[in-house]
Amino acid sequence: MVWNRAERRAALLSAAEERILLLDGAMGTEIQALALTEEDFRGALLTDHEITLKGNNDLLSLTQPTVIAQIHRRYLEAGSDILTSNSFNANRVSQADYGLQAHAYELNLQASQVARRVADAVSEKTPERPRFVAGVLGPTSRTASLSPDVSDPGYRNVTFDLLAQTYEEAARGLIDGGADLLLIETVFDTLNARAALFAVQGLLEELDLDLPVMVSGTITDRSGRTLSGQTPEAFWISLQHAGLFSVGLNCALGPAELRPHLADLARVAETRVSAHPNAGLPNTFGGYDLGPAEMAQHLGAWARDGLLNLVGGCCGTTPAHISALSDVVAGLAPREIPQLPSRLRLSGLDPFELRA
């Protein structure tokens, strides 16, 4: 059975009403476990490239697509409903570090196509439970709200327009590759996310597409704020105009540290809420120690408490983590989307609500 994009969208919306949907886990964890060499990253395409490419995980969608496909398949076999494309840094701004900015569109196209092929192959075997592809738009390596120079607070090394152009190119590749929805994730600067939404909305209008869009922010430390200073509620107010499929939090923190901030977001977000935390806080060696059972225990409690519509894992999580999550959320109802009183709500770093 081959479904077109409109049919997959309808199936996605139906599934989101029925159950908590499972995202996948960390791509980087699985790639690092393979101990790939510089030659592996270069493949046959970039043998003479003048800059070291090892560590550019997004490049593997081009040079080692079978490796990426195998990782995607393991997550689906573990229970994931939604694959996230291997495109976190597949944009001109981030790829400039490797001299590959001219390949940005192709990296996104191939990342989306690889995930699409795997999702379709698994869906063929379980037509009653189709699998979906979220095209990932990462935060880039620049911030539009903050100066990288402490001696010059007004300086910016990127503009809103440049970010919008960067995101538009990446999103076009993901859509052309067959993504079912777009995920603007690990947002540390809300202005970056707004540039991404501006670009995506313009592109969808151009293509006459109605593609669901997810946004997931990251709380950078125990202060409970993004790097650009916003609380979860203020973050939501800054984005609520966009008609999002979901809003959520991911990365930086483990489930124990992330829960109160996710609960704040779930209380006010008038759309679905997602969470994919790290497998705990990094240890002294940069690894993550929270095992599948313990992580599932945390997130299962979140689900039972009505905080989740979508759940998965970020840094340090593996197919084993997703399998454990699949077991604990099975049969649990998704979070009910609240209907809040109609009021003027504004946000800077903190939320403001005008009450009569």
Side-chain angles (χ1 to χ4, degrees), residues 101-152:
Q101 53 267 52
H103 293 269
Y105 170 82
E106 187 180 12
L107 289 172
N108 285 280
L109 177 71
Q110 292 295 329
S112 189
Q113 288 180 338
V114 170
R116 175 83 273 145
R117 287 194 295 269
V118 177
D120 287 348
V122 173
S123 296
E124 285 285 338
K125 297 179 180 179
T126 59
E128 74 285 356
R129 187 187 171 192
R131 299 335 202 289
F132 309 99
V133 174
V136 167
L137 296 166
T140 82
S141 54
R142 304 287 179 91
T143 169
S145 293
L146 304 172
S147 172
D149 183 353
V150 294
S151 64
D152 186 1

Side-chain angles (χ1 to χ4, degrees), residues 58 160 227 281 296 322:
D58 308 81
F160 184 95
L227 184 64
L281 296 174
I322 300 305

Side-chain angles (χ1 to χ4, degrees), residues 217-268:
T218 186
I219 301 298
T220 53
D221 56 36
R222 295 176 188 269
S223 70
R225 294 177 182 269
T226 63
L227 184 64
S228 57
Q230 286 193 306
T231 66
E233 184 174 355
F235 178 68
W236 161 245
I237 291 172
S238 296
L239 304 171
Q240 64 180 352
H241 66 282
L244 299 175
F245 175 78
S246 70
V247 67
L249 297 174
N250 75 287
C251 204
L253 303 175
E257 299 80 16
L258 191 62
R259 172 162 178 150
H261 312 307
L262 195 282
D264 285 344
L265 185 62
R267 175 176 51 82
V268 297

Side-chain angles (χ1 to χ4, degrees), residues 1-3 7-8 10-16 18-19 21 76 80-81 119-132:
M1 178 180 61
V2 178
W3 288 8
E7 291 170 329
R8 293 197 302 268
L12 172 66
L13 296 177
S14 176
E18 296 170 0
R19 66 181 190 276
L21 298 180
L76 291 186
S80 294
D81 295 293
D120 287 348
V122 173
S123 296
E124 285 285 338
K125 297 179 180 179
T126 59
E128 74 285 356
R129 187 187 171 192
R131 299 335 202 289
F132 309 99

